[in-house]
Amino acid sequence: MRDTQQSINETADKQVRTLEVVIVGAGFAGMYMLHRLRELGVSTRVYETGSGVGGTWYWNRYPGARCDVESMQYSYQFSDELQQEWEWPEKYSPQADILDYANHVADRFDLRRDIQFNTRIVSAIFNEKTKKWNIKTDDGEQILANFCVMATGCLSSTNLPKFKGLHVFKGKTYHTGQWPHETVDFDGMKVGVIGTGSSAIQSIPMFASQADQLYVFQRTPNYTIPARNAFLDPEEVKVIKADYSGLRARAKTKPSGYDLPIPTRAALETSSEDRLQEFESKWENGGVAFMASFKDLLFDKDANDTAAEFIRKKIRETVKDPKIANLLSPNNVIGCKRLCVDTGYWETFNRSNVSLIDVSNHPIETITENGLITDGREYLLDAIVFATGFDAMTGALLNIDIRGRSGLKLKDKWSGGPKTYLGLSTADFPNLFTITGPGSPSVLTNMLPSIEQHVEWISDCIMHMLTNGIKCIEATQDAEDDWVEHVNEVADLSLRSTCSSWYVGANIEGKARVFMPYIGGFPRYVEKCEKVVANNYEGFVTN
Ligand code: N01
């Protein structure tokens, strides 16, 4: 409480900017939030740590970074002109194309004049007397705002495990989630990659084609499906654009918010011959749609085993050395951790300059001046790439000192796992909104429609308040408790909650183990959000 008062006093001493809404982050969420609020005539400013727009796609510039949702769907739908004029070259866009798109959107809607780049928000403290948020930047600027919208991203706070000796390494180090803007050339170098998640699986084939020697340090093998990326056929694009709204509407009826066929058959009720044929066909088409082969894959372990074994067989067929094939073969639930999508991943392990080092039983002991040691052997390295992921869903929020009523710290409130109402709001933190926050479908869906749905819900809410003279909106404790219970209940129905993934916070030491996203599906979630509004913001108190 003393800190809160102190901060308010400091605020009074300096020149303070006042705004209706502060938005934190200029990724796809923050950009659309800004555009939408500006259109409604609300004074708004975005604060962004990076020097450009694009969020995830600004930071994750590692070679091979590519989206695994089709470009025609991984894009905004709020402006038909925008979706008609923009030309995506490839079925699955590489990072550079998505960043170009983000920049185009920023220019087209003249967003930059209200985005403050190279600025990190370090604290946001609610003043109960004035009902305003006191927000501070890392360069000491202070802002008073009625609303604070966190567009901080679900996978934006990088995770660098505390490896012993990290600081003594003389070579270069990189994190896939904070890749340099300059070209990184591994030509002639000995490179080590730590991790075998999506980022590693996309970048390893690229590193292998450059480096003299590539060592892949794998703790847990992962399932991956070939992307089978291709250039888009202009005729197909024309057909989609002729009825873009039809595609968008169909997508909204799907649990993933992504227009993929919904499986009707159960793997265990299908003959093994037909089942194999279906897996083969999905495998040939490539991408995350593999999990849509059968409806029971994520609900029945025996069904899941049939898909897992299909992939293991593919690994054995592709990787020439049976020992390496065996090491690369996961034995856990497929789709429990986020399914990966690759281009030439397993084939890479047939190259003579690539070595797979199993660190599952022999963790990396220490990083040394010249490499790293595991299982008593030192691997000499010129560069180390940490493909070690993110403090997902809560990391970016909790990196900011956010305090609500009575100085309550969000960090303390969420010490046992995030608690929200609809992933949009959290009790005791009035007028604070989270776009695709924990407890919303977010990372289990196509992010773009989920972002748009949240931005529209939040902006409608703010407009409702401004036009009705309402100063404060806040989730009730009861509504939040009920929602958290529901989020947990539905999570327990799926095999997805059964493994040590970032979905449950298991990748971060000391993080509470809670399944964070809402698994009930996009349509059901949207219906709930709409019902809340129809019932005059049911579950919120307004005053
Ligand atoms: O991170 P991860 P990521 N010693 O957390 C290993 C999205 N994404 O950046 O599994 C050794 O998945 C860790 O091992 P283990 C997507 O949602 C999307 O790859 O914990 N290893 C794991 O192998 C994805 O799921 C796209 O045993 C250590 C790896 O590091 C999410 O981002 C592309 C270790 C981390 O994998 C995160 O993916 C890229 C240690 N001490 C990312 N600590 C697309 O759209 C960690 N690891 C395609």
Side-chain angles (χ1 to χ4, degrees):
M1 194 58 192
R2 228 183 53 149
D3 288 352
T4 312
Q5 196 52 52
Q6 191 181 353
S7 166
I8 296 164
N9 292 343
E10 279 169 17
T11 301
D13 291 346
K14 291 191 182 176
Q15 255 226 327
V16 176
R17 188 194 284 270
T18 57
L19 290 166
E20 195 68 61
V21 183
V22 159
I23 300 167
V24 187
F28 284 122
M31 289 165 71
Y32 181 37
M33 194 77 236
L34 169 63
H35 173 63
R36 177 94 179 179
L37 287 174
R38 257 188 3 196
E39 292 254 289
L40 294 169
V42 177
S43 75
T44 311
R45 193 166 176 81
V46 178
Y47 293 83
E48 164 59 51
T49 307
S51 61
V53 296
T56 287
W57 304 101
Y58 170 91
W59 296 103
N60 286 267
R61 297 165 184 248
Y62 60 84
R66 186 181 290 284
C67 189
D68 59 8
V69 175
E70 292 182 21
S71 315
M72 296 300 290
Q73 297 197 55
Y74 192 85
S75 49
Y76 288 124
Q77 57 190 290
F78 70 81
S79 159
D80 192 46
E81 294 80 13
L82 171 66
Q83 66 181 3
Q84 291 296 336
E85 79 198 7
W86 184 258
E87 300 289 344
W88 292 106
E90 297 181 49
K91 180 177 177 185
Y92 297 110
S93 290
Q95 171 271 336
D97 286 4
I98 304 176
L99 192 58
D100 282 352
Y101 172 73
N103 278 302
H104 169 77
V105 172
D107 293 337
R108 194 187 192 288
F109 297 101
D110 189 19
L111 300 181
R112 287 178 220 279
R113 69 185 153 89
D114 288 316
I115 304 177
Q116 189 163 320
F117 293 107
N118 305 307
T119 307
R120 180 182 285 279
I121 296 296
V122 292
S123 64
I125 295 169
F126 186 68
N127 181 328
E128 287 187 71
K129 269 199 199 136
T130 59
K131 296 187 173 168
K132 285 187 189 293
W133 283 94
N134 294 259
I135 294 153
K136 267 196 201 168
T137 70
D138 55 354
D139 53 10
E141 188 184 342
Q142 306 197 44
I143 310 122
L144 286 181
N146 290 324
F147 298 93
C148 189
V149 180
M150 294 296 172
T152 42
C154 295
L155 293 158
S156 47
S157 174
T158 50
N159 168 42
L160 182 58
K162 292 186 184 83
F163 291 106
K164 200 174 135 201
L166 183 56
H167 58 285
V168 303
F169 183 61
K170 283 186 178 156
K172 296 258 185 201
T173 56
Y174 303 92
H175 193 292
T176 47
Q178 283 178 339
W179 201 258
H181 290 205
E182 312 76 50
T183 308
V184 175
D185 189 0
F186 288 141
D187 196 20
M189 291 171 83
K190 288 191 208 63
V191 179
V193 178
I194 301 177
T196 47
S198 292
S199 305
I201 282 176
Q202 288 189 324
S203 54
I204 281 168
M206 309 294 284
F207 299 149
S209 67
Q210 271 188 7
D212 206 28
Q213 181 65 40
L214 184 71
Y215 295 100
V216 176
F217 297 94
Q218 171 187 276
R219 189 163 67 181
T220 315
N222 249 315
Y223 295 96
T224 175
I225 310 290
R228 312 223 187 268
N229 183 39
F231 284 104
L232 280 165
D233 173 358
E235 285 311 308
E236 252 176 64
V237 171
K238 228 188 237 172
V239 171
I240 290 177
K241 286 191 173 176
D243 182 26
Y244 224 144
S245 57
L247 171 71
R248 302 298 198 176
R250 278 194 306 282
K252 284 180 180 169
T253 66
K254 307 288 164 67
S256 61
Y258 183 23
D259 188 30
L260 285 176
I262 294 186
T264 51
R265 291 187 301 170
L268 296 181
E269 289 163 10
T270 305
S271 71
S272 53
E273 211 172 67
D274 285 359
R275 197 165 56 216
L276 207 59
Q277 209 174 16
E278 178 62 18
F279 284 145
E280 278 294 350
S281 137
K282 284 284 189 299
W283 174 263
E284 280 313 312
N285 282 329
V288 289
F290 181 81
M291 289 310 288
S293 305
F294 295 100
K295 64 179 181 184
D296 49 352
L297 295 186
L298 282 170
F299 298 98
D300 187 312
K301 177 69 168 64
D302 290 338
N304 191 280
D305 285 345
T306 64
E309 183 46 33
F310 175 86
I311 304 291
R312 285 191 287 265
K313 187 161 171 282
K314 289 290 179 195
I315 301 175
R316 291 193 292 272
E317 286 166 7
T318 312
V319 179
K320 290 182 186 144
D321 181 337
K323 260 205 217 141
I324 300 295
N326 189 39
L327 273 182
L328 285 169
S329 296
N331 61 8
N332 50 0
V333 168
I334 179 170
C336 190
K337 287 188 172 184
R338 172 71 145 69
L339 190 65
C340 303
V341 172
D342 72 283
T343 302
Y345 179 65
W346 288 318
E347 291 84 345
T348 300
F349 292 91
N350 291 330
R351 295 178 63 119
S352 58
N353 68 332
V354 176
S355 309
L356 181 68
I357 317 298
D358 174 22
V359 296
S360 59
N361 293 318
H362 305 282
I364 293 163
E365 285 163 36
T366 184
I367 292 179
T368 62
E369 279 189 14
N370 301 311
L372 63 79
I373 297 178
T374 166
D375 197 13
R377 174 180 164 185
E378 183 173 20
Y379 292 84
L380 299 179
L381 304 168
D382 301 306
I384 302 177
V385 176
F386 297 97
T388 43
F390 302 89
D391 183 355
M393 307 217 60
T394 56
L397 287 166
L398 299 183
N399 282 342
I400 303 170
D401 181 9
I402 303 176
R403 302 185 201 186
R405 288 196 188 281
S406 310
L408 176 65
K409 294 182 179 180
L410 189 62
K411 200 179 260 174
D412 291 339
K413 176 174 173 179
W414 286 7
S415 61
K419 292 188 171 62
T420 71
Y421 182 37
L422 303 169
L424 276 164
S425 168
T426 185
D428 282 322
F429 294 78
N431 293 1
L432 177 85
F433 295 108
T434 48
I435 302 181
T436 63
S440 75
S442 57
V443 290
L444 298 177
T445 61
N446 177 5
M447 287 302 289
L448 268 285
S450 279
I451 283 171
E452 286 185 313
Q453 186 255 338
H454 265 192
V455 166
E456 286 160 18
W457 194 98
I458 294 166
S459 50
D460 289 352
C461 175
I462 290 175
M463 278 318 283
H464 167 79
M465 292 173 69
L466 295 179
T467 46
N468 291 288
I470 301 168
K471 286 205 96 178
C472 253
I473 186 162
E474 184 181 354
T476 67
Q477 195 58 58
D478 283 351
E480 179 173 295
D481 291 346
D482 288 351
W483 182 250
V484 170
E485 199 184 317
H486 174 62
V487 169
N488 290 332
E489 256 169 28
V490 285
D492 289 343
L493 299 175
S494 162
L495 294 172
R496 264 200 168 122
S497 59
T498 59
C499 65
S500 298
S501 68
W502 60 256
Y503 291 132
V504 298
N507 63 328
I508 303 295
E509 219 182 300
K511 191 165 173 172
R513 200 170 169 134
V514 173
F515 193 82
M516 294 182 285
Y518 176 59
I519 207 170
F522 187 76
R524 191 161 152 196
Y525 174 78
V526 172
E527 195 185 317
K528 167 74 182 171
C529 290
E530 286 171 355
K531 198 173 140 213
V532 164
V533 176
N535 291 341
N536 202 18
Y537 290 93
E538 186 177 31
F540 289 94
V541 271
T542 54
N543 50 58

